[in-house]
Amino acid sequence: MVDLGGQYQAIKEEVNSSISNIMETSAFINGPEVKEFQKELESYLGVKHVIPCANGTDALQIAMMGLGLKPGDEVITADFTFAATVEVIALLQLTPVLVDVEPDTFNIDIAAIEKAITSKTKAIVPVHLFGQCANMDALLEIGKKHNIFIIEDNAQAIGADYTFKDGRKQKAGTIGEVGSTSFFPSKNLGCYGDGGAIFTNDDDLAHKIRGIVNHGMYIRYHHDVVGVNSRLDSIQAAVLRAKLPKLDSYCNARRAAARKYSKSFEGQEHIAVPVTVNGCAGICDTCDCHVFHQYTLKITNGKRDGLAEHLGEKGIPCGVYYPIPLHNQKAYVDDRYKEEDFPITNQLVKEVISLPMHTELDDEQINYITTTVLEYVNS
Ligand SMILES: *Cc1c(COP(=O)(O)O)cnc(C)c1O
């Protein structure tokens, strides 16, 4: 699914020399590399504050702690996503409220959010799934109208631009009150271990969060709030510093692969290719709205599971993200949820399949993959 070895070859000298420098100076935690990476990412994203932390799940949890969410507060998020989002809501004893997603973009459904809002709703967590932003115009409007925080889970869309209705562009993750991301190795900007970060333009919130990530300390050994231990280590920061200048070219390589995939599947009756908000299905050359963390097809003739098996036999990795709706996961089942509230997620879990997607895919590989998919789906 990913080719991390190929990427490493291109940054090997830089990474190896930074890492050996860290070994020599023993600045393993919060060394200069972390501070430099923070500044470089702030500048890339055009955001006032980046607060590095240990992973993307912590980033979400710390964002919620920073906003002062309290047990019993309701937090709305998507039913069709990775479990990290709902996990931290539950851990903080907030009340998760799962809602359905859109059939074309797989992102959180605005009408479903509006139906789910109550007087207890304190936050909405849109997940920019597979590399494309949720409808941030509508989310910001809802947030303002009901006084609800928007927390962007940007683990899958770092580098993506969101284009507002008025044409203005802003980087994914920097639009709501706070955003989070993950630097897990397979993410679009991945390090060589665990890593994550929180983004915000709010000075007070940034200050509060900087304390929370470090045991609630603002002055050494003065613990003013309950915090956690969540730090990015210097070695990961060094890897990320080598990769950040290449992030745009990584995104372009992914988009180029997506375009080729989608072109091969044009006109197919049983295959739905990813739809971007610009409606260009990844085919438009200038589209920067989707960074294709995953390239996800819908197989609409009931052959998804068979296809996954067939690809495996042909030596082609693939993934089903996600096979079970969150509302049906044992840890999160709840009487509040009714099957008829999740028609889209219930359908998607049967139809989606993600093809190999990374920066080193070549034409020969893409041709082999698309030919194999087409042969099976149309057999
Ligand atoms: C990967 C991911 C996370 C969690 O990130 P970790 O760094 O693995 O903790 C959270 N949300 C989404 C949508 C993700 O894809």
Side-chain angles (χ1 to χ4, degrees):
M1 289 298 279
V2 293
D3 175 5
L4 298 172
Q7 268 188 0
Y8 173 57
Q9 290 312 315
I11 52 170
K12 187 171 178 170
E13 275 176 35
E14 191 179 347
V15 166
N16 289 5
S17 99
S18 309
I19 291 178
S20 71
N21 186 43
I22 291 165
M23 298 302 172
E24 297 297 335
T25 55
S26 304
F28 299 116
I29 300 279
N30 280 338
E33 296 281 359
V34 178
K35 193 78 195 163
E36 288 306 312
F37 171 64
Q38 174 198 319
K39 283 193 251 164
E40 287 158 6
L41 188 57
E42 283 166 354
S43 140
Y44 172 83
L45 292 172
V47 71
K48 273 175 95 175
H49 305 282
V50 165
I51 302 108
C53 66
N55 58 68
T57 309
D58 276 7
L60 276 169
Q61 176 179 333
I62 293 159
M64 290 177 201
M65 291 169 76
L67 291 170
L69 302 186
K70 295 276 171 333
D73 288 351
E74 291 178 3
V75 180
I76 297 175
T77 193
D79 190 38
F80 185 66
T81 179
F82 183 57
T85 326
V86 68
E87 178 178 81
V88 301
I89 296 170
L91 271 174
L92 293 174
Q93 297 184 298
L94 313 173
T95 305
V97 177
L98 296 170
V99 301
D100 211 1
V101 296
E102 299 174 343
D104 50 356
T105 64
F106 313 121
N107 274 325
I108 195 161
D109 184 275
I110 300 301
I113 291 177
E114 278 169 338
K115 268 174 65 183
I117 289 175
T118 73
S119 57
K120 290 187 187 161
T121 309
K122 289 288 150 39
I124 302 170
V125 187
V127 181
H128 301 322
L129 206 71
F130 301 153
Q132 166 169 239
C133 281
N135 183 346
M136 293 305 293
D137 281 282
L139 282 158
L140 290 188
E141 226 167 89
I142 291 176
K144 206 180 244 171
K145 182 169 159 201
H146 298 277
N147 211 7
I148 295 170
F149 298 121
I150 307 298
I151 305 169
E152 298 174 74
D153 181 346
N154 195 34
Q156 301 189 1
I158 193 152
D161 274 322
Y162 180 74
T163 308
F164 288 91
K165 278 185 289 194
D166 63 9
R168 206 163 37 88
K169 283 179 193 251
Q170 207 169 328
K171 285 280 181 219
T174 69
I175 303 165
E177 270 74 24
V178 58
S180 65
T181 201
S182 162
F183 304 122
F184 186 77
S186 64
K187 304 284 156 127
N188 288 26
L189 179 63
C191 56
Y192 294 166
D194 274 310
I198 303 142
F199 317 137
T200 185
N201 285 307
D202 179 327
D203 297 340
D204 294 339
L205 181 60
H207 174 74
K208 193 161 174 213
I209 287 174
R210 286 212 171 86
I212 293 173
V213 298
N214 191 25
H215 301 291
M217 286 193 286
Y218 298 90
I219 300 168
R220 193 176 274 246
Y221 301 121
H222 293 246
H223 303 273
D224 294 355
V225 295
V226 176
V228 294
N229 167 17
S230 188
R231 298 177 286 229
L232 183 70
D233 66 69
S234 305
I235 291 175
Q236 303 313 331
V239 173
L240 291 165
R241 286 192 73 197
K243 284 192 173 188
L244 182 59
K246 298 188 180 316
L247 179 57
D248 285 342
S249 70
Y250 292 162
C251 294
N252 286 335
R254 287 171 175 272
R255 281 193 279 263
R259 270 197 296 279
K260 288 174 193 160
Y261 275 142
S262 290
K263 209 146 192 89
S264 311
F265 298 131
E266 238 170 32
Q268 287 296 317
E269 192 187 346
H270 307 303
I271 300 177
V273 300
V275 172
T276 66
V277 282
N278 290 359
C280 61
I283 289 173
C284 148
D285 279 320
T286 57
C287 183
D288 46 13
C289 58
H290 202 316
V291 293
F292 291 97
H293 174 60
Q294 298 294 346
Y295 181 87
T296 303
L297 298 174
K298 288 190 282 183
I299 305 299
T300 55
N301 61 350
K303 287 190 159 184
R304 194 274 313 271
D305 289 339
L307 174 62
E309 201 170 308
H310 182 71
L311 291 176
E313 284 161 9
K314 296 281 177 183
I316 299 170
C318 64
V320 170
Y321 312 114
Y322 297 89
I324 303 172
L326 286 180
H327 78 270
N328 286 335
Q329 294 283 2
K330 269 191 204 157
Y332 304 109
V333 287
D334 197 296
D335 293 342
R336 291 176 289 133
Y337 302 132
K338 305 203 167 41
E339 285 309 318
E340 59 266 32
D341 291 334
F342 305 97
I344 305 302
T345 300
N346 286 339
Q347 186 73 16
L348 289 177
V349 295
K350 294 184 212 141
E351 293 183 345
V352 290
I353 186 163
S354 301
L355 299 183
M357 174 49 78
H358 53 82
T359 55
E360 320 295 313
L361 277 171
D362 62 32
D363 285 357
E364 200 184 319
Q365 291 169 321
I366 291 176
N367 286 339
Y368 178 61
I369 295 164
T370 55
T371 310
T372 310
V373 169
L374 286 169
E375 272 170 9
Y376 183 84
V377 173
N378 294 324
S379 64

